[in-house]
Amino acid sequence: MGLRPQSSCYIKKQYQVAMHAWFLDQVSRVSSSLSQILHDEQQEKAFTIANLKGELRQEENRVNLLSGHTYYLKVTALSQPVALFLHDWIKNLPELINLYGSSLKIIDCQVSLKPNTYSQLWQKNQDNCKTVKLSFVTPTSFRRKGHHFPLPVPVSLFHSYLRRWNCFCDRAFEQDPFLDWIEESVIILRHQLISEKIQVAKSGSVTGFLGAIELNLDKSALKNLEYTQLFYTLSDLAPYCGTGHKTPFGLGETVSGWFLPEMSPFITPNQSITERITELKALFLARRLRQGGNRGGNMADKLATILARRESGESLQAIALDLKMPYETVKTYAKLARREIRQSAYKV
């Protein structure tokens, strides 16, 4: 969903609370009983709400949204009632979202994840044997022994996914035997992670991880065909259900694939996208002979903008739409930027 502020404005840093309340209010306008279930009665929430994507300028306890910029909000559904609500709702969207007195105009709405049933996810993974790549684009954390646990340990990942599966799918699996199998069978091939402490709803500070991980199965694990199929099915479920806890408040947004440049650091927790763009632009300019030329400067600016926004978790489609550039051009520039980063052996 594309949102555009009617004028530059500020919202609270913990805007996810207001966004969560706004969404439940939208549900209640159609079905008060469904809204009540989503708010109070479900052990596992049947929806996720991602953080806003775009150029967010953080200033202490507030976030600055810029006039003329587009910000993106993603909502996913895990149960049939919520999916049916979204199906009808996007056909008759409200004109504005009001957050703390600031108005954001809804300018478009697209389906970014292919609709699937749990049965379809299960069937498509009958003969899967590829490695699993997952990227965590918002801080992600688990609860363990009363504390936050900010590491993507395979048992924690698949415990999270299996809980959602068993809650909303009519084909449930015993938890302990499967997690024992995960403990013995899943191999971490590589990872690139950072940690970040944030404020979330009424939970106070939460330390979460961001980054990417690639997993595979031990050859002996493939003998258990059912658990192998479940492993790949739950991996495909991850982008829909998110990872860890507080997913209706922006934590744990997960995408399939490895989207972060291997040689490029992430935007650090206290670094804004604007600062990252400035940092990258200086690097790209330094690689060009005509540092003072308009062409070199313009290209460096485009490469820096696209790469910084990609690192922050925005999709190439969203970047292309906001910059009014062809998708293939943005994709090419993103590849070029990553290649220049690798060639520079750039490190922070």
Side-chain angles (χ1 to χ4, degrees):
M1 184 185 302
L3 309 175
R4 187 167 292 168
Q6 294 185 306
S7 60
S8 294
C9 59
Y10 290 95
I11 59 176
K12 290 184 179 180
K13 196 171 184 179
Q14 293 174 264
Y15 65 85
Q16 297 90 346
V17 177
M19 195 71 76
H20 180 270
W22 173 82
F23 178 72
L24 290 181
D25 177 68
Q26 292 295 305
V27 176
S28 70
R29 293 169 186 261
V30 176
S31 172
S32 58
S33 59
L34 177 58
S35 178
Q36 189 70 28
I37 290 172
L38 295 178
H39 187 272
D40 295 330
E41 298 182 20
Q42 286 188 317
Q43 184 177 0
E44 300 293 339
K45 299 302 182 183
F47 66 98
T48 73
I49 301 177
N51 287 346
L52 289 174
K53 298 292 188 302
E55 188 166 348
L56 302 169
R57 296 184 177 179
Q58 298 195 19
E59 302 177 10
E60 295 185 356
N61 293 321
R62 62 183 187 175
V63 176
N64 186 8
L65 304 182
L66 304 176
S67 176
H69 286 248
T70 302
Y71 300 88
Y72 296 91
L73 175 69
K74 184 172 77 173
V75 179
T76 66
L78 303 180
S79 70
Q80 187 178 51
V82 179
L84 291 175
F85 162 75
L86 289 179
H87 178 268
D88 295 334
W89 180 63
I90 62 176
K91 298 176 183 177
N92 189 29
L93 289 168
E95 183 178 352
L96 299 172
I97 294 179
N98 291 302
L99 294 178
Y100 305 109
S102 299
S103 296
L104 307 179
K105 185 176 182 179
I106 300 176
I107 60 172
D108 69 355
C109 186
Q110 301 177 11
V111 177
S112 59
L113 286 173
K114 179 183 177 181
N116 271 299
T117 65
Y118 289 92
S119 177
Q120 287 171 334
L121 286 179
W122 176 258
Q123 291 299 324
K124 73 187 286 282
N125 283 288
Q126 282 184 326
D127 301 311
N128 207 339
C129 60
K130 64 181 185 299
T131 64
V132 168
K133 299 173 185 176
L134 296 172
S135 295
F136 311 98
V137 298
T138 61
T140 304
S141 185
F142 307 98
R143 294 293 293 174
R144 182 176 178 181
K145 298 180 180 179
H147 299 282
H148 300 294
F149 184 69
L151 283 174
V153 176
V155 168
S156 298
L157 292 174
F158 286 90
H159 182 208
S160 170
Y161 306 145
L162 184 63
R163 289 201 325 268
R164 273 78 165 199
W165 176 276
N166 283 345
C167 184
F168 300 113
C169 179
D170 56 10
R171 179 174 185 164
F173 293 86
E174 286 190 56
Q175 177 178 290
D176 290 343
F178 175 67
L179 294 182
D180 288 342
W181 179 85
I182 289 289
E183 179 73 33
E184 295 294 327
S185 305
V186 177
I187 303 166
I188 298 176
L189 297 180
R190 59 172 175 157
H191 63 79
Q192 185 174 342
L193 304 168
I194 61 170
S195 60
E196 178 178 347
K197 180 176 285 189
I198 58 171
Q199 296 287 325
V200 180
K202 299 178 181 179
S203 302
S205 296
V206 173
T207 299
F209 60 87
L210 301 98
I213 191 169
E214 183 173 7
L215 306 172
N216 204 355
L217 291 176
D218 182 86
K219 289 183 179 180
S220 63
L222 302 178
K223 297 176 183 178
N224 191 325
L225 298 180
E226 184 178 56
Y227 280 178
T228 298
Q229 187 172 353
L230 183 58
F231 167 78
Y232 287 111
T233 300
L234 294 180
S235 300
D236 281 350
L237 179 65
Y240 296 89
C241 68
T243 302
H245 65 150
K246 296 294 181 184
T247 52
F249 292 95
L251 266 65
E253 184 183 356
T254 306
V255 295
S256 295
W258 185 286
F259 289 111
L260 303 168
E262 294 182 12
M263 294 296 294
S264 176
F266 303 114
I267 297 174
T268 59
N270 296 318
Q271 184 181 39
S272 70
I273 291 180
T274 302
E275 292 170 335
R276 180 64 171 146
I277 290 173
T278 301
E279 182 180 55
L280 288 170
K281 184 177 179 179
L283 170 70
F284 295 140
L285 274 174
R287 287 182 53 81
R288 285 162 170 75
L289 295 176
R290 295 177 294 174
Q291 292 188 22
N294 290 333
R295 184 177 179 184
N298 290 339
M299 176 58 75
D301 187 60
K302 289 178 181 178
L303 294 179
T305 299
I306 291 169
L307 181 56
R309 293 177 66 168
R310 193 71 189 93
E311 288 177 342
S312 74
E314 281 193 73
S315 68
L316 291 175
Q317 292 90 338
I319 296 170
L321 180 65
D322 191 44
L323 297 180
K324 296 181 174 60
M325 294 173 61
Y327 168 78
E328 290 299 328
T329 301
V330 171
K331 183 178 178 181
T332 299
Y333 282 5
K335 290 181 179 179
L336 176 60
R338 290 175 182 140
R339 184 164 64 247
E340 292 198 15
I341 288 288
R342 288 195 296 269
Q343 291 171 351
S344 299
Y346 179 62
K347 298 180 180 179
V348 172

